[in-house]
């Protein structure tokens, strides 16, 4: 009799599962927060967005165009990283919405219009793709609203008038404690070309060595001119350097034209392409951060780029040749980059003293300025970016604590269904059909 009751109970449960997908196999939601359900589309959207970003970074940083799932991100297998990221991002979305409502905050009509306009534009171009991934228009809208709510919550705490607003004095002190101000000139090194066996030939090595000796000599020539020149007046050295580069480019172009019309001049053309002038004006990923032609400051920080002058203004930018970089908050991996090593050198320099520096990519002249001569103005012109630098970690801690307080139950059936590999395969299939 007992056995019959067990069989009956099992059959009843099976029938209930069949009749109620929500109870047993519903994967339309990825988690519940109290009595509310979070659309699986939001989770897939987070997964897909991060996947696209990481794949782009793999390409630009390492030239990887396939076998993405053989790679690691932050020490994790690619698929594991994406699953963890999407789950965390979706939990944070839920926490943001909950806290936003708890504080009685609202999005402005302008914010709503901007979100709706973005959705319309996105759906016109990518709506079919998103739907093929199982992401509805409503899910994307909720995700975008969540992002805007997150921004508003950050401002609620830290912007002017916020509960924990950052004062102008605090921001200026942050700049003084963490930032470096400098100008630079770079003379790129020439690499020896290789043969089919990937070994440098003797002739190419000799040619590269000669070009590098010339580059170093030219760097030293400009360094001599910069002795005793102040940080502000170093612009005159940069102007002279730019004139030199322009002159050499014109000369090399003329030489190349002449060699095209004379077979006997072919060896001259070869020499010119490896000359210091050519290397000065070349642009490589490793040298961009120090090239004088690059007037935008670069580092790991969002506030590094100078935005003190309105691009529509006819007034020249007094800071066009200089960089402001947040060295103080760089981690070890960032300090080990080309730019990080340059900043390390600058950090140990005295102000207003032109200094030689060299790495695997180039010969440099560096000169350090005093951040305090510009800190108040820079803080005003870059307030929003600096605020994010200063308080992002602190805000993240708040957000993590909000997540921990929520009654979140993850729908593992949905997690197992919408794996990164499944999302990737659907994307590949979709675009294959569009070819």
């Amino acid at each position: 009799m007992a056995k019959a009751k067990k069989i009956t109970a099992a059959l009843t449960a099976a029938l209930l599962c069949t009749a109620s997908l929500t109870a047993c196999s519903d994967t339309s939601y990825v988690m519940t927060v109290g009595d509310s359900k979070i659309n699986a589309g939001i989770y897939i959207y987070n997964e897909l967005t991060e996947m696209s970003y990481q794949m782009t970074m793999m390409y630009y940083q390492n030239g990887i165009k396939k076998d993405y799932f053989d790679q690691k991100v932050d020490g994790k297998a690619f698929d594991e990283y994406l699953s963890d990221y999407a789950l965390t991002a979706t939990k944070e979305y839920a926490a943001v919405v909950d806290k936003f409502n708890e504080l009685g905050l609202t999005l402005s009509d302008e914010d709503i219009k901007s979100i709706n306009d973005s959705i319309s534009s996105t759906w016109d171009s990518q709506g079919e793709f998103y739907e093929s991934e199982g992401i509805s228009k409503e899910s994307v809208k909720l995700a975008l609203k969540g992002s805007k709510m997150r921004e508003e919550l950050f401002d609620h705490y830290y912007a002017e008038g916020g509960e924990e607003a950052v004062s102008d004095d605090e921001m200026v002190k942050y700049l003084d404690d963490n930032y470096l101000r400098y100008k630079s000139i770079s003379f790129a090194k020439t690499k020896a070309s290789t043969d089919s066996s990937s070994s440098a030939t003797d002739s190419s090595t000799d040619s590269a060595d000669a070009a590098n000796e010339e580059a170093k000599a030219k760097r030293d020539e400009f360094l001599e001119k910069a002795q005793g020149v102040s940080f502000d007046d170093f612009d005159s050295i940069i102007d002279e350097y730019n004139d030199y580069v322009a002159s050499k480019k014109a000369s090399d172009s003329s030489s190349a034209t002449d060699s095209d019309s004379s077979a006997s001049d072919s060896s001259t053309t070869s020499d010119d392409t490896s000359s210091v002038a050519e290397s000065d004006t070349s642009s490589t990923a490793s040298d961009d951060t120090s090239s004088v032609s690059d007037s935008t400051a670069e580092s790991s920080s969002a506030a590094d780029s100078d935005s003190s002058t309105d691009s529509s203004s006819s007034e020249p930018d007094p800071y066009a040749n200089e960089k402001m970089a947040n060295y103080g908050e760089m981690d070890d991996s960032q300090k080990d980059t080309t730019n990080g090593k340059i900043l390390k050198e600058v950090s140990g320099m005295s102000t207003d003293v032109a200094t030689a520096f060299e790495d695997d990519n180039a010969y440099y002249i560096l000169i350090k300025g005093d951040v305090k001569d510009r800190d108040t103005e820079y803080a005003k012109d870059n307030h929003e970016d600096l605020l994010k630098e200063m308080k992002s970690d602190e805000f993240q801690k708040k957000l993590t604590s909000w997540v921990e307080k929520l009654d979140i139950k993850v729908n593992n059936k949905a997690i197992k269904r919408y794996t990164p590999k499944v999302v990737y395969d659907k994307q590949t299939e979709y675009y294959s059909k569009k070819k």
Side-chain angles (χ1 to χ4, degrees):
M1 188 68 174
K3 185 176 180 180
K5 287 183 178 180
K6 288 182 181 179
I7 293 174
T8 300
L11 289 172
T12 301
L15 289 171
L16 287 172
C17 283
T18 302
S20 177
L21 291 175
T22 300
C24 297
S25 60
D26 188 356
T27 55
S28 65
Y29 70 99
V30 75
M31 63 182 64
T32 58
V33 183
D35 295 330
S36 301
K37 294 178 179 178
I38 306 297
N39 292 353
I42 296 174
Y43 173 84
I44 304 169
Y45 178 82
N46 289 330
E47 198 171 37
L48 181 64
T49 302
E50 183 65 9
M51 179 187 294
S52 298
Y53 170 76
Q54 291 297 338
M55 285 164 56
T56 300
M57 289 300 99
M58 287 179 190
Y59 173 73
Y60 282 111
Q61 293 176 355
N62 300 303
I64 296 171
K65 296 186 286 186
K66 59 180 182 178
D67 300 328
Y68 301 108
F69 287 85
D70 293 336
Q71 311 306 316
K72 287 190 175 183
V73 178
D74 290 349
K76 296 180 178 179
F78 190 42
D79 56 350
E80 180 186 2
Y81 166 83
L82 290 173
S83 294
D84 289 349
Y85 174 89
L87 188 58
T88 298
T90 308
K91 287 180 178 179
E92 289 180 353
Y93 160 82
V96 162
V97 174
D98 181 75
K99 179 59 68 172
F100 191 85
N101 292 333
E102 177 190 319
L103 294 173
L105 303 177
T106 57
L107 295 179
S108 67
D109 291 342
E110 183 180 352
D111 290 335
I112 296 298
K113 182 180 184 305
S114 176
I115 290 169
N116 287 336
D117 289 345
S118 179
I119 289 294
S120 295
S121 176
T122 297
W123 226 251
D124 286 343
S125 60
Q126 291 184 284
E128 184 180 348
F129 165 64
Y130 279 126
E131 288 176 347
S132 74
E133 288 282 7
I135 304 171
S136 68
K137 190 174 185 178
E138 179 64 17
S139 289
V140 176
K141 182 176 182 178
L142 290 172
L144 294 183
K145 286 180 68 176
S147 295
K148 188 60 183 177
M149 288 178 181
R150 183 169 180 153
E151 292 177 14
E152 293 297 315
L153 279 170
F154 183 90
D155 288 345
H156 172 81
Y157 286 101
Y158 305 117
E160 184 178 358
E163 290 185 12
E164 303 169 32
V166 176
S167 69
D168 292 340
D169 288 344
E170 287 177 301
M171 190 165 285
V172 167
K173 185 179 186 305
Y174 176 82
L175 276 171
D176 294 343
D177 290 346
N178 293 284
Y179 268 64
L180 295 175
R181 182 185 182 200
Y182 72 105
K183 297 174 182 177
S184 66
I185 294 175
S186 66
F187 299 79
K189 290 184 176 180
T190 300
K191 309 290 186 184
S193 59
T194 59
D195 58 19
S196 58
S197 63
S198 299
S199 299
T201 62
D202 290 340
S203 59
S204 69
T205 298
D206 291 343
S207 178
D209 288 345
N212 289 334
E213 283 298 319
E214 185 181 351
K216 184 175 183 296
K218 184 58 67 174
R219 188 276 309 273
D220 292 344
E221 178 185 324
F222 274 89
L223 181 63
E224 182 65 27
K225 295 178 181 181
Q227 295 309 302
V229 175
S230 69
F231 181 78
D232 289 339
D233 292 339
F234 190 75
D235 284 349
S236 65
I237 305 298
I238 292 175
D239 289 342
E240 186 175 347
Y241 165 83
N242 286 335
D243 289 342
Y244 157 74
V245 171
S247 175
K248 290 295 290 183
K249 285 184 68 176
S251 175
D252 292 345
S253 177
S254 175
S255 297
T257 301
D258 291 342
S259 68
D260 286 342
S261 62
S262 174
S264 62
D265 290 338
S266 61
S267 61
T268 303
T269 305
S270 175
D271 289 341
D272 285 345
T273 59
S274 61
S275 70
V276 62
E278 188 71 21
S279 63
D280 284 344
T281 57
S282 65
S283 174
T284 63
S286 60
D287 195 38
D288 282 346
T289 57
S290 57
S291 171
V292 70
S293 62
D294 178 8
S295 61
T296 302
E298 294 187 28
S299 83
S300 60
S301 143
D304 293 338
S305 60
D306 295 340
S307 57
S308 56
T309 303
D310 188 340
S311 60
S312 64
S313 172
S314 59
E315 293 295 322
D317 181 359
Y319 307 115
N321 290 324
E322 70 177 64
K323 301 177 177 70
M324 291 278 284
N326 188 346
Y327 179 69
E329 293 201 343
M330 276 188 168
D331 59 30
D332 290 342
S333 64
Q334 291 168 329
K335 289 180 179 180
D336 197 39
T337 63
T338 296
N339 191 48
K341 291 174 182 177
I342 291 172
L343 293 177
K344 181 179 180 180
E345 178 71 14
V346 173
S347 70
M349 290 166 47
S350 299
T351 57
D352 295 301
V353 178
T355 304
F357 178 66
E358 174 186 349
D359 61 18
D360 292 339
N361 304 298
Y363 302 98
Y364 304 91
I365 301 173
L366 305 172
I367 189 166
K368 182 180 181 180
D370 191 341
V371 173
K372 292 183 179 180
D373 290 342
R374 191 186 171 191
D375 54 8
T376 301
E377 181 182 5
Y378 190 86
K380 178 182 177 181
D381 293 333
N382 297 275
H383 181 88
E384 187 173 334
D385 287 337
L386 285 170
L387 191 61
K388 290 176 182 177
E389 279 186 27
M390 294 176 68
K391 293 298 181 180
S392 287
D393 288 346
E394 186 176 310
F395 181 71
Q396 183 60 49
K397 290 178 181 177
K398 288 182 184 293
L399 183 49
T400 299
S401 70
W402 300 340
V403 170
E404 292 171 350
K405 292 176 183 177
L406 292 180
D407 177 24
I408 296 177
K409 292 183 174 60
V410 176
N411 181 2
N412 288 316
K413 291 184 182 295
I415 300 297
K416 291 178 180 178
R417 177 178 179 182
Y418 305 115
T419 66
K421 191 63 168 63
V422 167
V423 172
Y424 176 77
D425 287 345
K426 285 186 176 181
Q427 175 180 267
T428 302
E429 180 182 3
Y430 175 83
Y431 286 110
S432 293
K433 291 179 179 178
K434 288 295 180 179
K435 288 182 179 179

